[in-house]
Amino acid sequence: MSSMKNVTDLSKYIMTLPETRVSLLSMIFISFIVGSLGFLIDLVPGTSALHDILYGGANGVLVLGFSSIMAGAITQPWVNSLGGRRMKMKQSMFLAFFSMMIFSLIYLAGCIISSLVKSDLILDSIILGSAVIFAFRLLVIWGTSNISFMNSTLVSSIQPLLIVSMNIVVAFLSLTTNIGYFSVIGFLLKIIIASAILILAIYSFVMVVESPMRRNLGVGSLEFLSLFLSHITEDSPELEGIFTEIGEPVDTLAGVVSFKTASGLKALLISPSVHPGPIGTIGGANMPTILGERFGVFTMVAHGPSTHDFNPVSSRELVKVENAVKGALKDMEYTDEVSEFRRSVKNHATVGFQFFGEDLLLLATMAPEGFDDIEFGVGLSMMNLARSRYGSRNVVMIDCHNSFRGESGRILPGNPEVFDFLDAVESIECPPERYSLRVGCAHRPMDGLSKEDGVGRSGVKVLVVEAGPQRTAYVLLDSNNMVMGFRDEIISAVKGLGVSDVEVMTTDTHFVNTLAGGHNPVGRRKREEIIGEISLAVEEALDDLEDAMAGCRVVRINGLNTLGPTNSTELVSTISSIVAVSRVIAPLIFVLAIIFVLVWIFYWA
């Protein structure tokens, strides 16, 4: 299986931007400070420090502050009118503010060097600063807005043009200026040539990183980056369009355990071998909540054996999972006989199991050792082995996904852990006793917790199964895996509430994964609050116990459009190669470009 971690890792470079008014006030305040410092460093004989502070500050606000604010105000509607990724005003203003900061640092450095070497380099620093912020804006706007190179060039030129224009106006209106007399034609020529050098460097770099993805997947890197940022910052679903283009259909399975009482359907436990990814609300990332709301009864959507290869390309594909489950319910056969819940252990592999009539529910975990997704083929092998060995027509398997070790913990064909799981299944001892079934369920949305705490929209759901003297609590957290050791803490807390055994699972929802690093296992934060919510849910489920019957079915999901093993691998390997190449090419291209620009600006006669 290929991992999407390299894709979701991009999120660690994304920051929460300040509101528009913060950027506006910052530009005014900092431009005043920069203007004052520039005049104080480059002292004019016969003037006081107070004069330099006030006059220089006013000059800074006029030349830097107002120019940058105007650039921010113009950039946002211009970009949006070109049909690319919609830009918010706070994004435009922050870009203008950050560009102003870059210009200010270069300008102040020029002032300091000029005073030290007794040579006027302020004009050249203005030229360098203008060219650098133009290149920076071009790289950001072209890379994130999904508009053409030519349009990006025009939009990017707004801020440096306004700053240069204001400098020229101030110079002409003042007989004495801190940058001295200059030739407008020579001044502009230096800026144009310096900017052209940087444009060439940026274009060359982008073409290098753009071509691998376009050649391998038919999608440009800039388009992918733009849509990825749209999803992270605006929850835009447009990234699904790219996944749909490169997706491939697969057939997979969904296990269904249905519970009904005399009054009708009471609860569903669904284990689809469909991966809830890749991220946020894209594809099947929020599948546990979406499916959980489709059946009109208490529904637990557990994590079936699957990896990122089985990520649906679009949330619309989940209708196929829904229809398969509803089809299974139409001719479900029910029984009121249930065995006790037990476990079979081989090395670090643990398989919990419970029989409903002759059908079998399996729960696979390696806790307290760490692991991640169990691959579909591995899960299918375990199900087939159990089916043939114990005569169960339907074997529903759940990957508990409850002890996070990172990408290296995936259970793939050929791993030693696969044989441990198979041995654990083969060692199952069927309990001879059967008991009447009672079931209780409870759902707590955990509204006081958020995805930053590792908790998705479905919170926690608990199903208590009573088999004679034994009460087993199946606890399902809507989370992406669990910090190692947290499962044991939960089990210890819950066992004191009147249940005989407990298993804790996570849905593996990737709704919580719009955070840095691409992983956000539950248990990193607010452990006591989470355990408290789980305990309340268990108590509510115990109060809800009533006589019930259970039915199991494993059904096929046909033609589910997923990223697929081929394209999923291709996507991640392409991004990895782009990152690797960029680490070498980017410094080489941009360092050479800056050297040429410096030579042109400071040594051109």
Side-chain angles (χ1 to χ4, degrees):
M1 180 205 77
S2 58
S3 164
M4 288 294 294
K5 181 178 183 296
N6 288 343
V7 179
T8 55
D9 271 350
L10 292 171
S11 63
K12 67 185 175 183
Y13 300 110
I14 299 170
M15 64 182 76
T16 301
L17 300 182
E19 294 299 322
T20 300
R21 64 178 180 274
V22 175
S23 295
L24 284 171
L25 294 174
S26 298
M27 281 188 275
I28 293 173
F29 176 74
I30 292 177
S31 62
F32 183 89
I33 298 298
V34 171
S36 299
L37 289 175
F39 269 59
L40 287 171
I41 294 170
D42 187 33
L43 287 173
V44 178
T47 61
S48 65
L50 180 61
H51 171 273
D52 287 337
I53 291 172
L54 295 178
Y55 185 76
N59 185 77
V61 171
L62 180 63
V63 173
L64 282 181
F66 287 168
S67 297
S68 299
I69 292 171
M70 289 172 62
I74 295 171
T75 297
Q76 186 254 0
W78 193 352
V79 168
N80 291 346
S81 70
L82 296 172
R85 182 179 74 89
R86 290 195 62 79
M87 176 180 280
K88 294 181 179 179
M89 183 56 74
K90 72 174 183 178
Q91 295 168 335
S92 180
M93 283 298 177
F94 183 78
L95 176 60
F97 165 69
F98 200 84
S99 300
M100 190 195 80
M101 289 296 297
I102 295 173
F103 181 94
S104 300
L105 292 174
I106 295 174
Y107 167 71
L108 289 177
C111 292
I112 293 171
I113 294 173
S114 293
S115 65
L116 292 176
V117 301
K118 306 302 180 182
S119 176
D120 189 2
L121 300 176
I122 297 177
L123 178 59
D124 289 332
S125 69
I126 291 175
I127 295 171
L128 178 62
S130 300
V132 169
I133 67 169
F134 167 68
F136 172 74
R137 284 172 57 84
L138 174 59
L139 191 59
V140 171
I141 292 173
W142 189 26
T144 62
S145 297
N146 201 23
I147 59 178
S148 69
F149 173 72
M150 186 57 66
N151 285 329
S152 299
T153 301
L154 295 174
V155 175
S156 303
S157 65
I158 297 171
Q159 191 168 359
L161 279 177
L162 287 172
I163 292 175
V164 168
S165 299
M166 291 305 299
N167 269 292
I168 293 174
V169 170
V170 169
F172 273 119
L173 293 179
S174 177
L175 293 177
T176 304
T177 174
N178 65 314
I179 60 174
Y181 294 104
F182 56 86
S183 166
V184 174
I185 295 177
F187 179 74
L188 294 177
L189 183 61
K190 277 191 172 184
I191 293 178
I192 291 171
I193 298 300
S195 299
I197 294 171
L198 294 175
I199 288 175
L200 181 62
I202 291 171
Y203 188 83
S204 301
F205 171 71
V206 169
M207 288 302 100
V208 168
V209 301
E210 176 88 350
S211 57
M213 185 171 288
R214 190 171 296 280
R215 181 178 61 253
N216 295 342
L217 297 169
V219 176
S221 300
L222 292 185
E223 181 183 5
F224 182 86
L225 176 61
S226 173
L227 296 178
F228 178 81
L229 293 175
S230 291
H231 176 67
I232 294 297
T233 60
E234 305 167 27
D235 200 27
S236 168
E238 294 181 7
L239 188 59
E240 289 184 347
I242 288 180
F243 290 149
T244 300
E245 290 180 13
I246 67 176
E248 55 185 288
V250 300
D251 286 357
T252 185
L253 301 175
V256 184
V257 184
S258 174
F259 300 93
K260 71 176 185 179
T261 64
S263 58
L265 192 63
K266 180 180 179 69
L268 292 175
L269 174 58
I270 304 172
S271 179
S273 292
V274 179
H275 195 268
I279 187 173
T281 56
I282 293 294
N286 200 27
M287 179 177 68
T289 296
I290 294 173
L291 286 182
E293 296 172 348
R294 295 280 175 89
F295 299 98
V297 297
F298 174 87
T299 303
M300 297 172 68
V301 183
H303 181 38
S306 57
T307 61
H308 279 277
D309 295 342
F310 280 22
N311 282 331
V313 298
S314 166
S315 57
R316 294 186 296 273
E317 292 294 311
L318 298 181
V319 173
K320 298 175 182 177
V321 183
E322 176 189 352
N323 291 339
V325 174
K326 288 180 176 177
L329 294 174
K330 289 180 181 179
D331 57 354
M332 184 78 74
E333 296 179 2
Y334 289 88
T335 178
D336 61 355
E337 294 185 347
V338 60
S339 74
E340 290 185 341
F341 175 83
R342 295 184 179 178
R343 289 184 172 89
S344 175
V345 181
K346 286 295 178 181
N347 294 326
H348 298 305
T350 299
V351 175
F353 61 93
Q354 189 162 28
F355 285 88
F356 296 91
E358 298 303 317
D359 294 326
L360 178 59
L361 174 65
L362 300 178
L363 290 85
T365 182
M366 291 193 68
E369 300 298 318
F371 74 110
D372 200 47
D373 297 327
I374 298 176
E375 197 261 350
F376 174 67
V378 175
L380 186 60
S381 298
M382 295 170 63
M383 293 160 65
N384 286 336
L385 177 60
R387 186 180 296 113
S388 62
R389 187 167 181 82
Y390 306 110
S392 298
R393 181 178 176 185
N394 295 285
V395 177
V396 177
M397 179 180 162
I398 294 174
D399 170 4
C400 293
H401 210 259
N402 56 5
S403 188
F404 179 65
R405 198 182 79 185
E407 294 292 312
S408 61
R410 290 173 286 133
I411 311 300
L412 306 177
N415 292 158
E417 294 85 355
V418 174
F419 296 96
D420 291 339
F421 275 120
L422 291 174
D423 289 343
V425 171
E426 197 166 14
S427 301
I428 287 175
E429 296 182 2
C430 302
E433 301 87 358
R434 292 291 188 273
Y435 302 94
S436 296
L437 173 65
R438 299 183 76 218
V439 168
C441 52
H443 173 214
R444 295 190 64 83
M446 301 172 72
D447 294 329
L449 299 165
S450 66
K451 63 183 180 182
E452 285 75 20
D453 303 314
V455 178
R457 290 177 176 172
S458 290
V460 62
K461 296 182 178 181
V462 174
L463 177 74
V464 173
V465 176
E466 181 181 280
Q470 184 197 56
R471 289 177 174 177
T472 303
Y474 293 91
V475 178
L476 180 66
L477 283 161
D478 192 26
S479 305
N480 183 343
N481 218 316
M482 184 175 294
V483 172
M484 291 174 65
F486 190 38
R487 166 184 175 269
D488 293 336
E489 291 183 31
I490 296 172
I491 290 175
S492 297
V494 172
K495 275 192 173 180
L497 301 176
V499 294
S500 309
D501 213 332
V502 184
E503 188 54 87
V504 185
M505 305 164 281
T506 70
T507 64
D508 194 24
T509 178
H510 281 51
F511 172 77
V512 301
N513 282 29
T514 54
L515 306 173
H519 294 295
N520 189 25
V522 70
R524 286 177 172 173
R525 303 171 53 179
K526 301 184 179 178
R527 288 194 179 203
E528 292 184 3
E529 292 181 39
I530 293 170
I531 292 176
E533 289 284 349
I534 293 171
S535 299
L536 290 173
V538 171
E539 292 173 346
E540 292 173 6
L542 288 169
D543 292 338
D544 185 58
L545 280 169
E546 58 181 324
D547 293 337
M549 302 180 71
C552 299
R553 281 288 304 278
V554 176
V555 291
R556 182 179 294 185
I557 305 169
N558 295 311
L560 185 74
N561 200 16
T562 67
L563 289 181
T566 302
N567 289 323
S568 183
T569 302
E570 192 75 55
L571 176 62
V572 175
S573 62
T574 300
I575 291 176
S576 298
S577 66
I578 289 173
V579 172
V581 170
S582 298
R583 287 173 178 168
V584 177
I585 295 296
L588 180 62
I589 289 178
F590 290 116
V591 167
L592 287 175
I594 291 296
I595 291 174
F596 281 123
V597 167
L598 291 174
V599 170
W600 166 253
I601 292 175
F602 292 99
Y603 293 98
W604 178 74

